[in-house]
Amino acid sequence: DAKTTQPNSMESNEEEPVHLPCNHSTISGTDYIHWYRQLPSQGPEYVIHGLTSNVNNRMASLAIAEDRKSSTLILHRATLRDAAVYYCILRAFNNNNDMRFGAGTRLTVKP
Amino acid sequence: KAGVTQTPRYLIKTRGQQVTLSCSPISGHRSVSWYQQTPGQGLQFLFEYFSETQRNKGNFPGRFSGRQFSNSRSEMNVSTLELGDSALYLCASGGLAASPGGSEQFFGPGTRLTVL
């Protein structure tokens, strides 16, 4: 399985943008990049996913490098409720719903 | 739509016992995946069931097993419990892979198992 590398932790100030990086240098051409986050005392929740083009949804934006070896999850205005562990996961085109989580990035948001 | 429910939420067992955990997926979802989360190993995939068939299995010993019923509800069983089995057990439900790269997974709140 292709692996992802993320910083262990990051800090942000409330209402400022946050850029969470993920390296996946061994990504294959058919791997999708997914992001999930886990709030304290909860199960993970889906954030966003993409293949090649940048993606936006109500929660975040996903910027994918042209060579697809890295990606960045962007939270446009961090709130205290965004404090969580963020996981970057690669899923194959025909993935059967088994996701391989790394250690993730623990985001702390300061008021 | 009701979310994923897991029962019980908390459980205390002793070494050598066995335990059964239950997961009810979102209505209409046919895939149920199970994960183990520990401080040391993080989130690890156990197995996935789709339409009562195990499709994928992670790297766990045979003491960990599961099954899925015709109504998509799933159970996982751990026999001969060890101290290291203390963990948060999460299940996730997913619909058909309507989009490439896998469908969105919806996680339950988990069952906290403590083995004494």
Side-chain angles (χ1 to χ4, degrees):
Chain A
D1 292 332
K3 285 196 165 190
T4 62
T5 305
Q6 300 176 253
N8 289 335
S9 63
M10 290 185 65
E11 280 190 358
S12 169
N13 294 318
E14 197 176 11
E15 298 191 4
E16 290 186 356
V18 182
H19 290 234
L20 297 164
C22 180
N23 286 319
H24 28 78
S25 58
T26 59
I27 190 171
S28 76
T30 55
D31 283 342
Y32 280 70
I33 303 157
H34 285 246
W35 284 81
Y36 279 72
R37 72 179 185 180
Q38 187 171 20
L39 304 172
S41 303
Q42 294 187 28
E45 65 175 353
Y46 169 82
V47 178
I48 200 167
H49 79 281
L51 181 62
T52 56
S53 305
N54 295 344
V55 184
N56 300 296
N57 66 20
R58 63 174 179 82
M59 286 182 71
S61 295
L62 176 60
I64 302 172
E66 197 169 331
D67 63 5
R68 300 205 333 120
K69 292 181 186 248
S70 65
S71 60
T72 303
L73 179 70
I74 302 165
L75 307 179
H76 296 286
R77 288 180 72 234
T79 69
L80 297 178
R81 294 184 68 247
D82 291 323
V85 178
Y86 287 78
Y87 297 98
C88 168
I89 302 157
L90 301 182
R91 298 181 69 182
F93 178 88
N94 59 351
N95 181 266
N96 287 332
N97 298 330
D98 65 337
M99 294 194 292
R100 309 295 169 138
F101 288 81
T105 297
R106 182 173 298 278
L107 175 67
T108 302
V109 181
K110 297 184 288 185
Chain B
K1 222 180 208 183
V4 178
T5 57
Q6 292 187 246
T7 56
R9 291 292 311 279
Y10 301 91
L11 205 48
I12 299 175
K13 292 284 188 179
T14 56
R15 277 182 301 172
Q17 288 187 309
Q18 75 165 13
V19 66
T20 299
L21 311 181
S22 179
C23 172
S24 292
I26 290 171
S27 177
H29 284 188
R30 293 160 62 188
S31 165
V32 174
S33 303
W34 287 90
Y35 294 82
Q36 181 196 64
Q37 186 170 30
T38 60
Q41 298 297 317
L43 267 160
Q44 292 186 283
F45 171 75
L46 279 157
F47 29 66
E48 187 227 0
Y49 286 86
F50 184 88
S51 292
E52 303 179 63
T53 301
Q54 187 181 89
R55 285 203 300 196
N56 295 285
K57 192 177 190 307
N59 190 25
F60 278 81
R63 300 185 298 107
F64 292 82
S65 63
R67 60 178 176 168
Q68 187 179 32
F69 302 96
S70 58
N71 63 357
S72 293
R73 189 177 70 85
S74 177
E75 289 181 346
M76 69 161 282
N77 183 277
V78 188
S79 62
T80 320
L81 283 166
E82 301 177 0
L83 295 179
D85 297 333
S86 293
L88 180 67
Y89 290 88
L90 292 155
C91 84
S93 97
L96 291 174
S99 59
S103 62
E104 178 180 345
Q105 297 292 288
F106 297 85
F107 283 80
T111 293
R112 172 77 60 186
L113 171 65
T114 302
V115 182
L116 302 176

mmCIF file of all heavy atoms in Angstrom, chain A residues 63-85:
data_model
loop_
_atom_site.group_PDB
_atom_site.id
_atom_site.type_symbol
_atom_site.label_atom_id
_atom_site.label_comp_id
_atom_site.label_asym_id
_atom_site.label_seq_id
_atom_site.Cartn_x
_atom_site.Cartn_y
_atom_site.Cartn_z
ATOM 1 N N ALA A 63 -5.876 20.884 -2.151
ATOM 2 C CA ALA A 63 -4.977 21.282 -3.230
ATOM 3 C C ALA A 63 -4.031 20.111 -3.484
ATOM 4 O O ALA A 63 -3.355 19.641 -2.569
ATOM 5 C CB ALA A 63 -4.198 22.529 -2.838
ATOM 6 N N ILE A 64 -3.996 19.646 -4.730
ATOM 7 C CA ILE A 64 -3.184 18.491 -5.105
ATOM 8 C C ILE A 64 -2.064 18.953 -6.023
ATOM 9 O O ILE A 64 -2.317 19.634 -7.022
ATOM 10 C CB ILE A 64 -4.049 17.418 -5.799
ATOM 11 C CG1 ILE A 64 -5.185 16.978 -4.861
ATOM 12 C CG2 ILE A 64 -3.198 16.211 -6.210
ATOM 13 C CD1 ILE A 64 -6.211 16.073 -5.502
ATOM 14 N N ALA A 65 -0.844 18.576 -5.698
ATOM 15 C CA ALA A 65 0.299 18.966 -6.514
ATOM 16 C C ALA A 65 0.185 18.369 -7.907
ATOM 17 O O ALA A 65 -0.451 17.316 -8.096
ATOM 18 C CB ALA A 65 1.600 18.500 -5.847
ATOM 19 N N GLU A 66 0.814 19.030 -8.862
ATOM 20 C CA GLU A 66 0.707 18.592 -10.251
ATOM 21 C C GLU A 66 1.240 17.167 -10.437
ATOM 22 O O GLU A 66 0.686 16.378 -11.204
ATOM 23 C CB GLU A 66 1.496 19.552 -11.146
ATOM 24 C CG GLU A 66 1.133 19.448 -12.615
ATOM 25 C CD GLU A 66 1.737 20.580 -13.429
ATOM 26 O OE1 GLU A 66 1.953 21.677 -12.889
ATOM 27 O OE2 GLU A 66 1.990 20.341 -14.619
ATOM 28 N N ASP A 67 2.303 16.808 -9.719
ATOM 29 C CA ASP A 67 2.849 15.454 -9.826
ATOM 30 C C ASP A 67 2.158 14.477 -8.871
ATOM 31 O O ASP A 67 2.512 13.298 -8.815
ATOM 32 C CB ASP A 67 4.368 15.452 -9.564
ATOM 33 C CG ASP A 67 4.729 15.892 -8.154
ATOM 34 O OD1 ASP A 67 3.807 16.116 -7.342
ATOM 35 O OD2 ASP A 67 5.916 16.013 -7.848
ATOM 36 N N ARG A 68 1.199 14.971 -8.121
ATOM 37 C CA ARG A 68 0.376 14.195 -7.166
ATOM 38 C C ARG A 68 1.189 13.572 -6.043
ATOM 39 O O ARG A 68 0.677 12.719 -5.322
ATOM 40 C CB ARG A 68 -0.410 13.101 -7.894
ATOM 41 C CG ARG A 68 -1.333 13.630 -8.930
ATOM 42 C CD ARG A 68 -2.523 12.775 -9.292
ATOM 43 N NE ARG A 68 -2.367 11.355 -9.091
ATOM 44 C CZ ARG A 68 -3.140 10.639 -8.278
ATOM 45 N NH1 ARG A 68 -4.085 11.222 -7.567
ATOM 46 N NH2 ARG A 68 -2.955 9.333 -8.159
ATOM 47 N N LYS A 69 2.395 13.977 -5.842
ATOM 48 C CA LYS A 69 3.187 13.395 -4.762
ATOM 49 C C LYS A 69 2.932 14.082 -3.428
ATOM 50 O O LYS A 69 3.481 13.660 -2.402
ATOM 51 C CB LYS A 69 4.681 13.458 -5.113
ATOM 52 C CG LYS A 69 5.032 12.547 -6.282
ATOM 53 C CD LYS A 69 6.506 12.590 -6.624
ATOM 54 C CE LYS A 69 6.732 11.784 -7.889
ATOM 55 N NZ LYS A 69 7.477 10.591 -7.667
ATOM 56 N N SER A 70 2.146 15.101 -3.427
ATOM 57 C CA SER A 70 1.784 15.752 -2.171
ATOM 58 C C SER A 70 0.437 16.442 -2.342
ATOM 59 O O SER A 70 -0.021 16.674 -3.463
ATOM 60 C CB SER A 70 2.842 16.774 -1.759
ATOM 61 O OG SER A 70 2.885 17.835 -2.692
ATOM 62 N N SER A 71 -0.184 16.719 -1.210
ATOM 63 C CA SER A 71 -1.446 17.448 -1.227
ATOM 64 C C SER A 71 -1.542 18.280 0.051
ATOM 65 O O SER A 71 -0.791 18.045 1.014
ATOM 66 C CB SER A 71 -2.642 16.496 -1.346
ATOM 67 O OG SER A 71 -2.684 15.586 -0.247
ATOM 68 N N THR A 72 -2.451 19.228 0.038
ATOM 69 C CA THR A 72 -2.633 20.109 1.189
ATOM 70 C C THR A 72 -4.116 20.282 1.459
ATOM 71 O O THR A 72 -4.882 20.625 0.540
ATOM 72 C CB THR A 72 -2.008 21.495 0.939
ATOM 73 O OG1 THR A 72 -0.617 21.330 0.634
ATOM 74 C CG2 THR A 72 -2.152 22.390 2.168
ATOM 75 N N LEU A 73 -4.506 20.028 2.679
ATOM 76 C CA LEU A 73 -5.872 20.309 3.111
ATOM 77 C C LEU A 73 -5.907 21.734 3.653
ATOM 78 O O LEU A 73 -5.083 22.093 4.495
ATOM 79 C CB LEU A 73 -6.311 19.330 4.202
ATOM 80 C CG LEU A 73 -7.713 19.546 4.745
ATOM 81 C CD1 LEU A 73 -8.750 19.177 3.687
ATOM 82 C CD2 LEU A 73 -7.952 18.752 6.025
ATOM 83 N N ILE A 74 -6.841 22.512 3.161
ATOM 84 C CA ILE A 74 -6.923 23.925 3.568
ATOM 85 C C ILE A 74 -8.233 24.173 4.294
ATOM 86 O O ILE A 74 -9.319 23.940 3.746
ATOM 87 C CB ILE A 74 -6.824 24.852 2.337
ATOM 88 C CG1 ILE A 74 -5.509 24.577 1.583
ATOM 89 C CG2 ILE A 74 -6.901 26.319 2.771
ATOM 90 C CD1 ILE A 74 -5.467 25.157 0.190
ATOM 91 N N LEU A 75 -8.106 24.618 5.540
ATOM 92 C CA LEU A 75 -9.263 25.107 6.289
ATOM 93 C C LEU A 75 -9.199 26.622 6.194
ATOM 94 O O LEU A 75 -8.228 27.230 6.653
ATOM 95 C CB LEU A 75 -9.198 24.650 7.749
ATOM 96 C CG LEU A 75 -9.022 23.149 7.988
ATOM 97 C CD1 LEU A 75 -8.953 22.859 9.489
ATOM 98 C CD2 LEU A 75 -10.139 22.366 7.348
ATOM 99 N N HIS A 76 -10.203 27.233 5.618
ATOM 100 C CA HIS A 76 -10.089 28.653 5.278
ATOM 101 C C HIS A 76 -10.115 29.565 6.497
ATOM 102 O O HIS A 76 -9.420 30.579 6.516
ATOM 103 C CB HIS A 76 -11.167 29.017 4.274
ATOM 104 C CG HIS A 76 -10.985 28.293 2.970
ATOM 105 N ND1 HIS A 76 -9.998 28.649 2.078
ATOM 106 C CD2 HIS A 76 -11.616 27.223 2.445
ATOM 107 C CE1 HIS A 76 -10.046 27.821 1.028
ATOM 108 N NE2 HIS A 76 -11.016 26.955 1.240
ATOM 109 N N ARG A 77 -10.914 29.224 7.493
ATOM 110 C CA ARG A 77 -10.953 30.004 8.734
ATOM 111 C C ARG A 77 -11.118 29.027 9.878
ATOM 112 O O ARG A 77 -12.211 28.532 10.118
ATOM 113 C CB ARG A 77 -12.096 31.006 8.720
ATOM 114 C CG ARG A 77 -11.886 32.187 7.788
ATOM 115 C CD ARG A 77 -13.059 33.150 7.830
ATOM 116 N NE ARG A 77 -13.110 33.898 9.076
ATOM 117 C CZ ARG A 77 -14.166 33.949 9.866
ATOM 118 N NH1 ARG A 77 -15.250 33.307 9.571
ATOM 119 N NH2 ARG A 77 -14.135 34.676 10.965
ATOM 120 N N ALA A 78 -10.036 28.718 10.540
ATOM 121 C CA ALA A 78 -10.092 27.719 11.605
ATOM 122 C C ALA A 78 -10.951 28.207 12.768
ATOM 123 O O ALA A 78 -10.897 29.370 13.162
ATOM 124 C CB ALA A 78 -8.683 27.418 12.106
ATOM 125 N N THR A 79 -11.742 27.295 13.298
ATOM 126 C CA THR A 79 -12.497 27.576 14.509
ATOM 127 C C THR A 79 -12.051 26.592 15.584
ATOM 128 O O THR A 79 -11.356 25.603 15.293
ATOM 129 C CB THR A 79 -14.012 27.410 14.278
ATOM 130 O OG1 THR A 79 -14.292 26.012 14.089
ATOM 131 C CG2 THR A 79 -14.473 28.192 13.059
ATOM 132 N N LEU A 80 -12.443 26.850 16.814
ATOM 133 C CA LEU A 80 -12.049 25.961 17.905
ATOM 134 C C LEU A 80 -12.576 24.550 17.662
ATOM 135 O O LEU A 80 -11.970 23.560 18.084
ATOM 136 C CB LEU A 80 -12.554 26.504 19.241
ATOM 137 C CG LEU A 80 -11.979 27.862 19.660
ATOM 138 C CD1 LEU A 80 -12.604 28.316 20.981
ATOM 139 C CD2 LEU A 80 -10.469 27.819 19.764
ATOM 140 N N ARG A 81 -13.703 24.466 16.954
ATOM 141 C CA ARG A 81 -14.292 23.155 16.690
ATOM 142 C C ARG A 81 -13.510 22.360 15.650
ATOM 143 O O ARG A 81 -13.785 21.187 15.434
ATOM 144 C CB ARG A 81 -15.733 23.316 16.235
ATOM 145 C CG ARG A 81 -16.647 23.865 17.320
ATOM 146 C CD ARG A 81 -18.094 23.933 16.864
ATOM 147 N NE ARG A 81 -18.660 22.592 16.675
ATOM 148 C CZ ARG A 81 -19.008 22.104 15.497
ATOM 149 N NH1 ARG A 81 -18.848 22.818 14.410
ATOM 150 N NH2 ARG A 81 -19.517 20.902 15.407
ATOM 151 N N ASP A 82 -12.559 23.000 14.988
ATOM 152 C CA ASP A 82 -11.722 22.290 14.015
ATOM 153 C C ASP A 82 -10.548 21.581 14.665
ATOM 154 O O ASP A 82 -9.778 20.890 13.981
ATOM 155 C CB ASP A 82 -11.203 23.270 12.957
ATOM 156 C CG ASP A 82 -12.310 23.771 12.042
ATOM 157 O OD1 ASP A 82 -13.209 22.973 11.706
ATOM 158 O OD2 ASP A 82 -12.271 24.965 11.679
ATOM 159 N N ALA A 83 -10.364 21.749 15.957
ATOM 160 C CA ALA A 83 -9.279 21.052 16.657
ATOM 161 C C ALA A 83 -9.556 19.554 16.610
ATOM 162 O O ALA A 83 -10.589 19.080 17.107
ATOM 163 C CB ALA A 83 -9.184 21.532 18.098
ATOM 164 N N ALA A 84 -8.652 18.815 15.995
ATOM 165 C CA ALA A 84 -8.873 17.390 15.741
ATOM 166 C C ALA A 84 -7.585 16.779 15.218
ATOM 167 O O ALA A 84 -6.604 17.481 14.961
ATOM 168 C CB ALA A 84 -9.989 17.207 14.700
ATOM 169 N N VAL A 85 -7.625 15.462 15.027
ATOM 170 C CA VAL A 85 -6.537 14.784 14.317
ATOM 171 C C VAL A 85 -6.990 14.607 12.876
ATOM 172 O O VAL A 85 -8.082 14.077 12.623
ATOM 173 C CB VAL A 85 -6.204 13.408 14.939
ATOM 174 C CG1 VAL A 85 -5.107 12.726 14.145
ATOM 175 C CG2 VAL A 85 -5.783 13.588 16.398
#
